[in-house]
Amino acid sequence: MNATTAPELPQGLPWLNAPSGSLLEQRGRIVALAFVNAASAWCGQRLNELATLQARHLGRLQTLVVNVPRFDSERDPQAALKRLRRHGIGFPIAHDANWAAWQAFGIEAWPTVLLIDGEGIIRHRLVGVDNGAELDRSVSALCETLARPIDDDLRSPRESHPEPRLALRFPTGVAATAERLFVADSGHHRILECTHSGRVLRQFGLAAADLIDGDHTHTAFRNPHGLVAVRESLYVADTGNHALRRIHLATGAVDTLCGNGRAGEPVEGVVGQPRGVALNQPLALAASNNQIHIAMGGDNRIWSYDLATRELSARAGSGQLEVRDGSGPMAAFAQPAALAAVHQTLYVCDALGSAIRSLHLRTGVVQTLIGQGPWVFGAEDGPRESARLQHPQGIAVSTDAPQMWIADSGNGSLRTLRLGGGELTSVALPRPLHGPTGLALSEGTVWIAETDAHAVLRYDIASGELSHVPIDE
């Protein structure tokens, strides 16, 4: 691209977790100016890549994040900050609620990273996430032009008003059995096995981000999300490791079924070497017919892993970010984030599509139950054709009642959809929910991962009582 001087960030742009900053004060360093959307899995992946690069080039590279909202709920600065912190991001974050910086820099898509040299000149513009190697090379080449930083520059900037130190940090997935509650404590990179009252019985994962199999006392996960319990096994969508993991509940041992720790293009076929297969941000799981179904947020497709044959297969989705019905690869999803399986139907929660979809497992046909497209969202109850959701991130379906429960994250609410042609209804709760994601059903109870509040809630369906589950270690 032609080298041009970077304009200054618009005046009055609020900074969410750091003192107000400018590009001028960063002169002498390489700046990665990242335009992102907090709800996007692709943006989260790019920010994690930048975190790795900044650690490698400490003192020479500074990443500044400009968050540009997609949903109405993201216009709230604190809600946007929570969403970005779910990714483990501690960079200085500016909130571009009115898209002023987006327009000033001529941005056209999320994520876009502008690499600005020490003289304030834009040297590279990288759009999307398919150019990770190019990003690495470009940053390294620019940093090599700078002198060794002095010791004062080697200290990482501290966030203002960090998240509180609590037992949970951004819990995402929950799974429940008749006697146990499992929680994906994503921010602490671990899985907790609890009683229904919240007493922790076992921890899987060292609370440090890594990809390690073995005994439960020596294993590691990285930002795990979705969970599904099947007999004596708990399956984990280990999102940060781009892997499908399994916990053997009888022994506590953990193994990897597929995934090598890096985002990549999955390939259909028998998985001979689990670490030889790439996945792309698996977010949610469901089980049926001896298969584990995977919502792949990074490639907008639904995959299945056969537990008997160890075969990985693509079920539906073109890879494009759309809400489009059809059969198999003719259909399209918009960041599938939750799954629920009932008989031969797999229900899919499309987070960026604000949609609920169904996938018939025998025919591969995808149909939309609620949703009109990635830019149509709201909070309306009623018939499916007029009902609206906003950035939903969790679903659960009872096998003995034709009713779906939905964590409508953008609206901070719990909602229900009567299957078979029924209407969408909001559940009367005593207060709004803070970024709910994972849901699980067990014997008249809806378990809710209230992610942005670092909590797990219990909703009693019969009484309508909402209570906090004290996760006690």
Side-chain angles (χ1 to χ4, degrees):
M1 63 171 289
N2 294 327
T4 59
T5 301
E8 188 51 79
L9 292 165
Q11 290 188 351
L13 201 65
W15 291 79
L16 303 182
N17 62 340
S20 297
S22 68
L23 293 178
L24 180 61
E25 66 189 31
Q26 296 295 334
R27 292 290 172 87
R29 291 184 179 182
I30 306 305
V31 174
L33 187 62
F35 287 83
V36 304
N37 173 254
S40 166
W42 291 346
C43 291
Q45 178 179 327
R46 174 79 346 144
L47 290 173
N48 281 303
E49 291 169 351
L50 287 170
T52 299
L53 291 172
Q54 183 158 312
R56 187 189 307 165
H57 301 286
L58 193 61
R60 290 188 172 105
L61 174 66
Q62 177 60 59
T63 299
L64 301 179
V65 176
V66 179
N67 179 67
V68 186
R70 179 191 192 98
F71 297 102
D72 289 343
S73 59
E74 295 177 293
R75 297 177 66 84
D76 175 7
Q78 288 306 306
L81 178 58
K82 290 279 190 179
R83 297 294 191 276
L84 286 167
R85 280 179 169 168
R86 288 187 194 182
H87 297 294
I89 300 305
F91 300 132
I93 302 168
H95 189 50
D96 192 19
N98 297 316
W99 296 45
W102 175 284
Q103 296 178 55
F105 284 83
I107 307 302
E108 297 180 349
W110 294 295
T112 294
V113 176
L114 305 180
L115 296 180
I116 304 171
D117 69 13
E119 301 299 320
I121 305 299
I122 299 175
R123 295 297 180 183
H124 302 277
R125 179 183 294 253
L126 297 100
V127 182
V129 292
D130 294 331
N131 45 28
E134 182 183 354
L135 174 66
D136 193 330
R137 288 193 302 269
S138 300
V139 167
S140 297
L142 288 172
C143 287
E144 287 175 0
T145 66
L146 302 181
R148 175 179 169 80
I150 60 177
D151 289 345
D152 285 346
D153 287 336
L154 293 175
R155 292 175 295 186
S156 299
R158 282 193 168 188
E159 279 197 279
S160 58
H161 309 294
E163 296 295 322
R165 294 181 177 270
L166 300 172
L168 300 176
R169 183 178 178 86
F170 296 113
T172 50
V174 287
T177 65
E179 297 179 348
R180 295 288 184 264
L181 175 67
F182 299 96
V183 181
D185 188 11
S186 184
H188 288 140
H189 311 290
R190 61 183 183 169
I191 309 298
L192 299 178
E193 179 183 2
C194 311
T195 64
H196 284 186
S197 62
R199 182 165 63 92
V200 176
L201 302 175
R202 285 188 292 183
Q203 170 181 317
F204 303 93
L206 301 173
D210 210 334
L211 177 57
I212 303 174
D213 291 338
D215 179 81
H216 79 277
T217 60
H218 298 90
T219 57
F221 297 86
R222 187 187 302 270
N223 297 119
H225 278 65
L227 305 174
V228 63
V230 182
R231 295 183 292 278
E232 291 300 314
S233 296
L234 181 72
Y235 297 89
V236 182
D238 195 2
T239 306
N241 280 321
H242 309 281
L244 173 63
R245 314 284 297 282
R246 174 174 55 189
I247 299 173
H248 299 269
L249 296 175
T251 64
V254 177
D255 62 351
T256 298
L257 298 180
C258 54
N260 58 16
R262 300 180 300 276
E265 183 69 22
V267 178
E268 292 188 277
V270 175
V271 178
Q273 296 294 329
R275 299 292 181 93
V277 176
L279 301 182
N280 198 332
Q281 298 195 67
L283 293 176
L285 306 175
S288 69
N289 303 324
N290 207 35
Q291 292 185 325
I292 302 299
H293 308 294
I294 309 168
M296 209 79 75
D299 77 349
N300 295 303
R301 290 190 283 179
I302 307 300
W303 292 76
S304 294
Y305 178 88
D306 191 292
L307 294 170
T309 65
R310 297 185 301 170
E311 184 176 2
L312 186 67
S313 58
R315 284 283 187 170
S318 66
Q320 296 174 311
L321 197 152
E322 295 181 43
V323 176
R324 186 176 71 238
D325 291 347
S327 179
M330 300 303 295
F333 297 94
Q335 195 171 300
L339 300 174
V342 180
H343 305 304
Q344 291 300 319
T345 300
L346 185 67
Y347 294 100
V348 182
C349 175
D350 256 354
L352 295 189
S354 296
I356 302 297
R357 323 286 296 283
S358 69
L359 166 60
H360 194 280
L361 293 172
R362 286 181 178 171
T363 65
V365 173
V366 175
Q367 295 180 304
T368 299
L369 306 184
I370 294 176
Q372 302 296 322
W375 294 99
V376 181
F377 50 84
E380 292 81 4
D381 286 338
R384 293 180 180 184
E385 58 271 15
S386 59
R388 296 288 184 269
L389 300 163
Q390 183 178 190
H391 194 214
Q393 294 187 64
I395 56 174
V397 177
S398 173
T399 56
D400 57 3
Q403 183 169 260
M404 176 185 292
W405 298 81
I406 304 170
D408 191 358
S409 188
N411 290 315
S413 61
L414 180 65
R415 307 179 77 178
T416 62
L417 174 65
R418 197 76 176 173
L419 300 176
E423 297 188 349
L424 182 69
T425 304
S426 297
V427 178
L429 297 177
R431 63 169 179 83
L433 302 178
H434 301 287
T437 55
L439 296 181
L441 287 172
S442 173
E443 299 182 346
T445 297
V446 182
W447 305 91
I448 307 168
E450 192 180 24
T451 306
D452 289 348
H454 312 296
V456 173
L457 305 179
R458 175 176 182 157
Y459 175 76
D460 186 274
I461 297 174
S463 68
E465 180 183 2
L466 182 71
S467 58
H468 175 258
V469 180
I471 303 298
D472 181 14
E473 299 185 62

